Amino acid sequence: MDPLSTLWETFFDWDSMRQALPDMLTVGLPNTLILAVSAALLGSVLGILLAIAGISRTRWLRWPARVYTDIFRGLPAAATILLIGVGLAPLGMEVWGPNPYPLGILALSLIAAAYIGEIFRAGIQSVEAAQLEGARALGFSWGEAMRLVIVPQGIRRVLPAWVNQLIALIKDSSLVYFLGLLASQRELFRIGQDYAANTGNQSALLLAGLFYLALTVPLTHAVNWIDRRLRQGRAVTVDPDNDGGLAVAGQVALPPQTAAPKREDQR
């Protein structure tokens, strides 16, 4: 057969896509978003703690954070998911029953925390040392200066990189199918895989890939927009009704500065 015809029939069967579309919209898409967003939120909290511990002056905080980061960044994501999902399965059965979702979210969160921790650490360390010194000079303790001054600035600087990690989590959520999912728990990739196995046609997998693109491509452009906004800052405009007045976009224009009148003894 013609290779192009074989490719078209294998991956572009519209009838197969039409059959899989309802399950992907009602089951696969919500489950994928639940896995990715939950893991991103929990991973961000753990990542901030890892970042602060990683730059701590106390070695008992710094070294465990570095070991954790090296382990979970070095292990394949599939291996981590299997280690957590299978190794902690007896504990999970006692706590929340035969539901692999919590363990899948935990595994994805531990993986994400290692990467997000490094992202936040780089952002925190990019803040000028004078910021910390100024906060300490104003009477802030080290913890207060980090919490109120340094960490917020560092997080803002690495927000585009954090969104990139969210994109990676959306794609890594497809690995949770290793833990075994019920029909109502399947994410996009698992639904595509099931339809491909039942019909002998791979078009449902292609449809799942299109769903992933629909999620990740807008986020990619959002990252670029956020990065441009953070680099450019707020625009400053001149108010034509106020001669010489300057205004920051979204704020009221400042009145022009006028020279103070001279005193009689200065004339």
Side-chain angles (χ1 to χ4, degrees):
M1 293 182 62
D2 183 12
L4 292 179
S5 299
T6 303
L7 178 66
W8 183 266
E9 293 176 0
T10 303
F11 289 98
F12 295 92
D13 186 347
W14 307 116
D15 290 334
S16 298
M17 290 185 180
R18 195 179 302 112
Q19 293 176 9
L21 183 60
D23 282 343
M24 289 196 177
L25 284 174
T26 59
V27 178
L29 182 60
N31 287 335
T32 297
L33 291 176
I34 289 172
L35 287 170
V37 174
S38 300
L41 294 177
L42 183 57
S44 297
V45 174
L46 295 175
I48 292 176
L49 297 178
L50 284 173
I52 296 176
I55 61 175
S56 173
R57 299 174 181 176
T58 305
R59 68 175 63 183
W60 304 113
L61 292 175
R62 187 172 62 252
W63 283 106
R66 292 181 179 179
V67 171
Y68 175 96
T69 301
D70 290 340
I71 291 175
F72 283 96
R73 289 180 68 185
L75 284 175
T80 302
I81 291 174
L82 287 173
L83 285 172
I84 301 298
V86 178
L88 299 180
L91 177 61
M93 288 287 292
E94 296 179 1
V95 177
W96 47 71
N99 184 1
Y101 257 47
L103 290 177
I105 292 173
L106 176 61
L108 291 174
S109 301
L110 295 177
I111 297 169
Y115 290 93
I116 294 175
E118 286 298 285
I119 291 172
F120 286 160
R121 183 180 65 82
I124 292 172
Q125 290 183 327
S126 70
V127 178
E128 295 78 6
Q131 298 273 355
L132 180 59
E133 296 171 358
R136 296 299 301 274
L138 292 174
F140 288 93
S141 65
W142 186 87
E144 291 174 337
M146 292 295 295
R147 179 169 54 89
L148 300 175
V149 179
I150 305 301
V151 172
Q153 293 186 65
I155 292 176
R156 179 185 175 186
R157 294 184 181 188
V158 297
L159 187 59
W162 181 88
V163 178
N164 280 329
Q165 186 59 37
L166 175 59
I167 293 174
L169 277 174
I170 291 175
K171 295 183 290 184
D172 287 345
S173 65
S174 62
L175 299 175
V176 176
Y177 84 93
F178 285 135
L179 303 182
L181 302 174
L182 299 176
S184 60
Q185 297 174 334
R186 295 175 299 172
E187 33 71 43
L188 288 169
F189 179 78
R190 184 60 182 179
I191 291 177
Q193 191 179 47
D194 287 346
Y195 273 94
N198 293 334
T199 62
N201 189 280
Q202 307 300 315
S203 300
L205 283 174
L206 177 63
L207 180 61
L210 294 177
F211 270 95
Y212 283 112
L213 287 176
L215 292 173
T216 58
V217 170
L219 283 175
T220 302
H221 289 286
V223 168
N224 296 334
W225 181 82
I226 292 172
D227 187 52
R228 286 196 302 269
R229 291 287 296 175
L230 293 179
R231 290 178 182 273
Q232 295 174 359
R234 292 177 295 180
V236 178
T237 59
V238 177
D239 186 359
D241 297 330
N242 194 354
D243 186 21
L246 297 180
V248 177
Q251 297 184 4
V252 180
L254 298 176
Q257 298 292 329
T258 57
K262 293 184 178 180
R263 296 169 51 184
E264 290 294 333
D265 56 356
Q266 293 177 339
R267 294 180 179 176

